[in-house]
Amino acid sequence: MRIGVLALQGAFREHLDVFRGLGLEAVPVRLPSDLAGLSALVLPGGESTTMRRLIERWGLRGPILEMARQGAPIFGTCAGMILLSKEIVDGEEPVLPLLDVSVKRNAFGRQLDSFEADLQVPMLGDAPVHGVFIRAPVIDRVGDGVDVLARLDDGRVVAVRERNVVATAFHPELAGEARFHRVIATMAGAFDEPGEGAGRRRHPTRRAAAR
Amino acid sequence: MSVDTSTWVTKKGLAQMLKGGVIMDVVTADHARIAEDAGAVAVMALERVPADIRAAGGVARMSDPSMIEGIMAAVSIPVMAKARIGHFVEAQVLEALGVDYIDESEVLTPADEQNHIDKHAFKVPFVCGCRDLGEALRRIAEGAAMIRTKGEAGTGNIVEAVRQLRAVTGEIRRLASMRDDELFVAAKGLQAPLELVRQVARDERLPVVDFVAGGISTPSDAALVMQLGAEGVFVGSGIFKSDDPARMANAIVQATTHFDDPKIIAEVSKGLGAPMRGIELGAIPEGERLAVRGW
């Protein structure tokens, strides 16, 4: 299993470190050729306006969408969540519209409003997730096929999953929180080798051709 | 749910989000929009770029708050602004305006010849300049959440930036090679707190993000410092003193991302027009060097 982290800009080293700390192979992705053979892709935090331009400039959009269409898990944090949203409040064009949500950039304000808070994420068990929110976005509208994974006390949505795409408004990679990365690794394993009970096991030779 | 704002993690974390990116000096809202469109991760709002500050002489101070607010309103990326070294009231004013980062900068005329700002006392994070590892660790001890080497601002000459970056990374490698019982003397030599020296020796990197500033004026300059270990770049005069700022800005952004891919650097370097003219360091009188400000 090899997990890619989009390394155009932002906190990509932190994600690579989390996966490597779990004993997994993780590689930076800067060009479409880097996507070959990956089992999952992470879109890290950073500046979404910068990443949007670099994704378009180097032709990454189509190949990433195709990877997602084939079922590879995609995980976006903060700016990554903005890139994955179908709708961006205040009119910017979506980049990789894989999540049927509407996202608001800098939803809490400027840097002085950045904060840390413990969150309940039932999917990850009882121990709270320590959320680091830096000029963070928030999800305004959630589509029918989207699972809400975490909310703030005021009800605002800060983590979601739709099929093979997971996104958080906060930064687990800055808080020593590896549970999201474990989930992504598990999904990546199922993508590589749909096991017994997966009910969609493909013939090995056909699978090789498809990748 | 308890919520903590402006923690050390969020201060340092914003700099982590800027890594691999280009922070551009801008003097108007139009410049700021050009920078954002070119892919800047943040802009530094100031009244004059360093090359013009150098040319004008006199005392350089914090910019007009209305000009900073105009730039904050014009772009969605983070906005930084400069305060004079030791001028904690300028920093208070910038915090009151709500800027995202304060640069306690040698480009402005220092306000205190002994003391830097106590940056722990602020909710807004600070970036500070350094010429070597000791200076970097002293600034971090005072609360800086991000470091940049100073280079020699406004010269378009990369030589000081390279010297200082090599000084920092070389000293980090030296610490990493030491026995624990040698770190006491190393800390004394660096004039830096022992705890930070131990941390650097263990992690083999600074405890905060480290950018390079002062002298970057081409895509190759940016890639050079990235290959030498910088985590991102500040470009001051190099963009808006070049022939075609929008193209130059975009090319430096591309070269910073693809810093280890010479074919891409060659591609983005084609037909950019003239970079800023630049100054040979030897032509600058000792008293007009900016990098020696701060201690």
Side-chain angles (χ1 to χ4, degrees):
Chain A
M1 180 194 303
R2 180 162 11 119
I3 294 171
V5 180
L6 193 68
L8 298 172
Q9 188 272 315
F12 53 87
R13 195 197 69 220
E14 288 78 352
H15 281 287
L16 292 169
D17 287 349
V18 176
F19 285 116
R20 288 168 185 167
L22 295 173
L24 299 167
E25 184 186 359
V27 294
V29 171
R30 293 192 173 89
L31 294 170
S33 56
D34 298 331
L35 293 168
L38 293 183
S39 317
L41 181 68
V42 175
L43 310 178
E47 281 308 314
S48 63
T49 53
T50 304
M51 282 195 249
R52 156 201 298 279
R53 279 169 185 83
L54 290 162
I55 286 170
E56 284 163 9
R57 173 68 177 80
W58 300 103
L60 284 156
R61 194 167 183 276
I64 293 175
L65 289 175
E66 175 58 22
M67 190 178 163
R69 198 193 57 76
Q70 287 186 15
I74 313 281
F75 178 34
T77 57
C78 195
M81 181 164 101
I82 296 168
L83 297 177
L84 290 169
S85 297
K86 267 193 184 146
E87 193 187 336
I88 302 173
V89 176
D90 295 335
E92 277 184 79
E93 287 299 305
V95 187
L96 301 163
L98 293 167
L99 282 174
D100 183 16
V101 299
S102 169
V103 72
K104 185 169 168 33
R105 290 181 62 205
N106 301 333
F108 300 91
R110 305 191 69 95
Q111 169 62 11
L112 285 169
D113 306 297
S114 292
F115 64 98
E116 296 181 59
D118 284 342
L119 305 165
Q120 288 303 323
V121 184
M123 181 183 81
L124 300 179
D126 287 344
V129 166
H130 190 68
V132 179
F133 294 79
I134 297 174
R135 286 172 51 96
V138 88
I139 287 181
D140 262 8
R141 179 192 62 80
V142 179
D144 286 342
V146 179
D147 299 327
V148 172
L149 304 182
R151 293 176 188 272
L152 295 172
D153 280 358
D154 61 12
R156 284 190 284 182
V157 176
V158 291
V160 291
R161 170 177 175 167
E162 182 175 358
R163 294 165 52 90
N164 54 325
V165 181
V166 178
T168 64
F170 50 90
H171 295 281
E173 78 283 4
L174 297 189
E177 170 62 69
R179 282 174 289 174
F180 280 101
H181 297 78
R182 285 181 198 276
V183 168
I184 297 301
T186 304
M187 291 165 70
F191 170 63
D192 281 350
E193 288 294 330
E196 283 179 44
R200 57 182 182 89
R201 188 172 212 168
R202 283 171 286 187
H203 190 279
T205 54
R206 186 182 150 203
R207 168 148 198 81
R211 295 289 300 276
Chain B
M1 175 166 53
S2 81
V3 171
D4 299 317
T5 56
S6 296
T7 62
W8 177 240
V9 172
T10 63
K11 287 176 167 180
K12 189 165 87 114
L14 178 56
Q16 286 172 278
M17 298 308 136
L18 303 177
K19 285 192 300 181
V22 184
I23 300 170
M24 302 183 191
D25 278 3
V26 297
V27 301
T28 65
D30 283 342
H31 277 188
R33 280 185 284 263
I34 290 170
E36 185 176 44
D37 284 343
V41 291
V43 291
M44 178 75 70
L46 72 179
E47 254 159 30
R48 285 180 293 208
V49 295
D52 292 335
I53 291 176
R54 193 177 279 286
V59 174
R61 309 179 180 88
M62 176 187 79
S63 299
D64 182 335
S66 64
M67 170 269 184
I68 295 169
E69 282 181 334
I71 287 171
M72 287 166 63
V75 293
S76 65
I77 55 179
V79 175
M80 302 183 166
K82 289 180 192 289
R84 282 179 267 179
I85 290 173
H87 205 315
F88 52 84
V89 173
E90 284 187 349
Q92 289 165 3
V93 170
L94 294 174
E95 182 175 79
L97 292 174
V99 302
D100 297 294
Y101 240 92
I102 295 176
D103 183 6
E104 186 181 18
S105 178
E106 72 284 356
V107 169
L108 306 183
T109 311
D112 189 322
E113 292 180 331
Q114 296 286 326
N115 307 290
H116 282 250
I117 296 170
D118 171 11
K119 293 164 276 286
H120 288 297
F122 287 80
K123 292 174 78 67
V124 62
F126 281 74
V127 54
C128 285
C130 74
R131 280 166 299 168
D132 53 39
L133 181 61
E135 198 173 353
L137 296 180
R138 289 192 290 279
R139 295 296 85 77
I140 295 167
E142 294 157 1
M146 179 180 186
I147 288 292
R148 56 174 177 78
T149 47
K150 296 173 184 172
E152 185 58 36
T155 61
N157 190 336
I158 195 70
V159 65
E160 275 299 308
V162 168
R163 185 208 315 274
Q164 295 164 13
L165 178 59
R166 281 192 185 273
V168 172
T169 55
E171 284 162 340
I172 291 173
R173 284 194 303 274
R174 195 174 64 89
L175 287 186
S177 72
M178 285 183 174
R179 286 163 50 101
D180 286 352
D181 61 4
E182 294 167 340
L183 293 175
F184 299 97
V185 171
K188 185 179 162 196
L190 289 166
Q191 299 181 49
L194 177 61
E195 279 317 304
L196 289 176
V197 169
R198 280 188 172 137
Q199 194 177 341
V200 170
R202 186 189 66 218
D203 299 343
E204 301 186 32
R205 67 163 76 108
L206 286 178
V208 302
V209 168
D210 183 21
F211 271 45
V212 161
I216 292 166
S217 44
T218 67
S220 297
D221 286 349
L224 174 66
V225 295
M226 291 298 288
Q227 286 197 27
L228 285 171
E231 297 188 278
V233 299
F234 284 84
V235 185
S237 319
I239 288 169
F240 290 100
K241 287 286 171 191
S242 71
D243 272 3
D244 187 342
R247 286 195 63 191
M248 182 63 84
N250 184 267
I252 292 178
V253 168
Q254 306 296 341
T256 303
T257 290
H258 297 285
F259 64 89
D260 57 0
D261 191 330
K263 281 188 182 151
I264 289 181
I265 300 167
E267 185 61 36
V268 303
S269 299
K270 288 176 184 167
L272 293 178
M276 70 179 285
R277 187 169 180 286
I279 308 172
E280 164 57 28
L281 268 287
I284 305 173
E286 209 53 40
E288 293 177 20
R289 297 272 181 109
L290 301 178
V292 299
R293 295 170 167 177
W295 29 88

